[in-house]
């Protein structure tokens, strides 16, 4: 059975190669517009949200969090998977802010939605600017565990955080995208 997609690419066959709690890997056999046939591995992964929380003093609230794929800590904006069925991205972001940094945003401004790596995954990340921050308790059903139990919350002046992007101290994609988007608004 074939499923014709856009731009002249035709999926001839699709087979699940792996499934885990958060990710499904499928291998698609695709006929290219020139008639050649090749396989493409696709990681189906739930999408995510992230926010650049900017406090009244011009500081960005960041997390220092361990990421096992690289075996090191990264500076990142608060973020999380869209893992609640039917949850709006803004609602999910408010939930993540409360869970990770115990804040709520009076104002959430959509900055962008980007594809994390269009060549191999279906994941998208929606990034917000979070302002008018006030303290918020963690949800009763949320428990810090695994890498989250080791997170450190930092407040860094916005201009310093942007400089950290440019000198390579901040390299996490959603954080880089969010900080540069906020930087462009400040000009």
């Amino acid at each position: 059975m074939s499923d014709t997609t856009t731009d002249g690419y035709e999926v001839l066959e699709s087979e699940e190669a792996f499934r885990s709690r958060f990710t499904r890997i499928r291998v698609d056999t695709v006929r290219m517009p020139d008639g050649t046939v090749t396989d493409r591995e696709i990681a189906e992964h739930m999408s995510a949200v992230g926010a650049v929380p900017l406090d009244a003093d011009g500081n960005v609230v960041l997390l220092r969090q361990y990421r096992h794929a690289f075996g090191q800590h990264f500076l990142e904006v608060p973020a999380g998977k869209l893992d609640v069925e039917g949850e709006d991205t803004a609602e999910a972001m408010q939930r993540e802010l409360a869970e990770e940094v115990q804040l709520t945003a009076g104002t959430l401004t959509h900055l962008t939605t980007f594809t994390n790596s269009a060549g191999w995954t279906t994941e998208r990340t929606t990034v917000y600017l979070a302002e008018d921050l006030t303290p918020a308790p963690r949800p009763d059903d949320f428990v810090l565990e695994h890498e989250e139990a080791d997170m450190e919350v930092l407040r860094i002046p916005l201009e310093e955080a942007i400089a950290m992007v440019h000198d390579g101290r901040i390299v996490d994609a959603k954080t880089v995208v969010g900080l540069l988007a906020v930087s462009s608004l400040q000009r």
Side-chain angles (χ1 to χ4, degrees):
M1 181 170 106
S2 69
D3 173 31
T4 302
T5 60
T6 59
D7 299 330
Y9 293 81
E10 182 181 9
V11 177
L12 302 174
E13 183 180 3
S14 187
E15 180 181 323
E16 183 177 289
F18 174 81
R19 180 182 293 268
S20 69
R21 196 169 106 193
F22 298 118
T23 306
R24 174 181 178 248
I25 307 294
R26 72 174 200 263
V27 179
D28 289 349
T29 302
V30 181
R31 184 184 329 274
M32 302 291 156
D34 68 1
T36 60
V37 175
T38 190
D39 288 340
R40 292 290 179 253
E41 295 174 5
I42 305 297
E44 294 178 2
H45 193 277
M46 61 185 67
S47 291
V49 291
V52 178
L54 190 60
D55 71 18
D57 296 325
N59 296 307
V60 178
V61 181
L62 296 174
L63 296 164
R64 184 175 178 273
Q65 186 170 0
Y66 177 76
R67 294 303 188 181
H68 188 70
F70 288 89
Q72 67 187 57
H73 285 80
F74 284 78
L75 287 176
E76 302 180 17
V77 295
K81 293 182 286 304
L82 293 171
D83 55 1
V84 175
E85 184 70 32
E87 187 175 33
D88 174 75
T89 58
E91 292 171 11
M93 193 63 251
Q94 291 286 17
R95 176 177 47 81
E96 291 295 335
L97 285 167
E99 289 176 357
E100 294 188 345
V101 294
Q102 294 183 282
L103 293 171
T104 190
T107 305
L108 276 179
T109 305
H110 179 262
L111 294 171
T112 191
T113 300
F114 66 92
T115 57
N116 292 50
S117 186
W120 69 276
T121 182
T122 61
E123 183 179 8
R124 295 175 188 267
T125 300
T126 299
V127 183
Y128 290 94
L129 170 61
E131 297 177 290
D132 304 318
L133 304 174
T134 56
R138 286 196 171 98
D140 291 336
D141 62 345
F142 179 75
V143 177
L144 288 172
E145 59 184 1
H146 310 295
E147 291 88 353
E148 288 179 333
D150 184 42
M151 289 186 307
E152 178 184 0
V153 178
L154 305 168
R155 289 183 185 246
I156 298 173
L158 176 61
E159 292 306 316
E160 182 180 340
I162 292 166
M164 294 170 81
V165 167
H166 291 292
D167 69 17
R169 289 180 286 161
I170 293 178
V171 296
D172 171 69
K174 67 189 168 300
T175 306
V176 169
V177 167
L179 287 170
L180 294 179
V182 169
S183 173
S184 71
L185 297 175
Q186 303 293 314
R187 296 178 183 190

